[in-house]
Amino acid sequence: MNVASWALWGFVATVVLTIVLAGSQGLGLTRMNLPFMVGTMFRDAHRPAERVGFVAHLINGWLFALVYVAAFHAWGGATWWRGMAIGLVHALFVLTALMPVLPAMHPRMAGAEQGPSAIRMLEPPGFFALHYGVRTPVSVVAAHLAYGAILGAFYRAG
C-alpha cells in the first residue's frame, strides 16, 4: 500500500464528497445536512455539533478510503471505473442499510414510530434517506461516485 497516495487522494476524495453533499443541500436538492447529523451524535448545540460533525465526517471519509485501497489491491489495480463501482456499492449500502437503522444508534434522532421529542429532534432519514427529499439518493450516489472515481483515478499502489 502506498500510504502517501492513500493519504493525499483519500483526503481529496473526502473533500469532494463533502462539497457535493453540502452543495446539494445548498441548492435545495436535499434537506440532509451530514455534518449536523453526525455532529449531533456527540453534541446537542447546533454550532458545536456542526463543527464536530464536519471534522468527524472528514476523518471517517479519509479512513474509509482504506477500504477502497484494499479493494484496488485485491483487484490488481486502481481505475476510475473500479472506484466508481465501489462508490456505487458504498452509496447503496449507506442508503439502504445505514440510513434506516440510524435512529436506533443516534441519541438525538426520532424513530419512525415515536416521532420527535424534546431530545430526539432530528427527523429519521428513512429508506434511501427519502425523508430528506426525493433527490437525496441522487446526491448521495453522485457524491460517492465522485469519491470512488477520484480514488480510482489517482491512487497509485507503488
Side-chain angles (χ1 to χ4, degrees):
M1 181 178 102
N2 183 337
V3 174
S5 188
W6 156 75
L8 172 63
W9 296 112
F11 185 74
V12 169
T14 301
V15 168
V16 170
L17 177 136
T18 305
I19 290 169
V20 171
L21 290 175
S24 295
Q25 184 194 16
L27 292 171
L29 300 175
T30 180
R31 292 185 302 109
M32 185 172 72
N33 180 335
L34 200 55
F36 183 68
M37 189 185 300
V38 172
T40 53
M41 292 181 90
F42 307 104
R43 304 288 307 261
D44 59 354
H46 187 80
R47 287 271 190 223
E50 237 174 356
R51 285 192 295 269
V52 168
F54 180 76
V55 171
H57 184 256
L58 282 179
I59 292 169
N60 285 337
W62 196 20
L63 292 174
F64 205 85
L66 290 170
V67 174
Y68 285 64
V69 167
F72 295 148
H73 282 277
W75 292 342
T79 64
W80 65 268
W81 59 269
R82 285 179 177 158
M84 288 182 78
I86 301 167
L88 179 61
V89 171
H90 184 183
L92 292 175
F93 176 80
V94 166
L95 291 168
T96 60
L98 182 62
M99 288 296 178
V101 300
L102 192 57
M105 299 181 287
H106 198 302
R108 292 176 184 85
M109 184 174 284
E113 294 80 31
Q114 75 263 30
S117 69
I119 295 173
R120 293 182 175 265
M121 296 181 287
L122 291 177
E123 179 180 12
F127 183 73
F128 260 69
L130 289 170
H131 294 174
Y132 291 116
V134 295
R135 292 175 292 213
T136 299
V138 175
S139 66
V140 170
V141 169
H144 285 82
L145 289 175
Y147 177 90
I150 290 167
L151 279 170
F154 298 108
Y155 172 76
R156 294 296 163 247

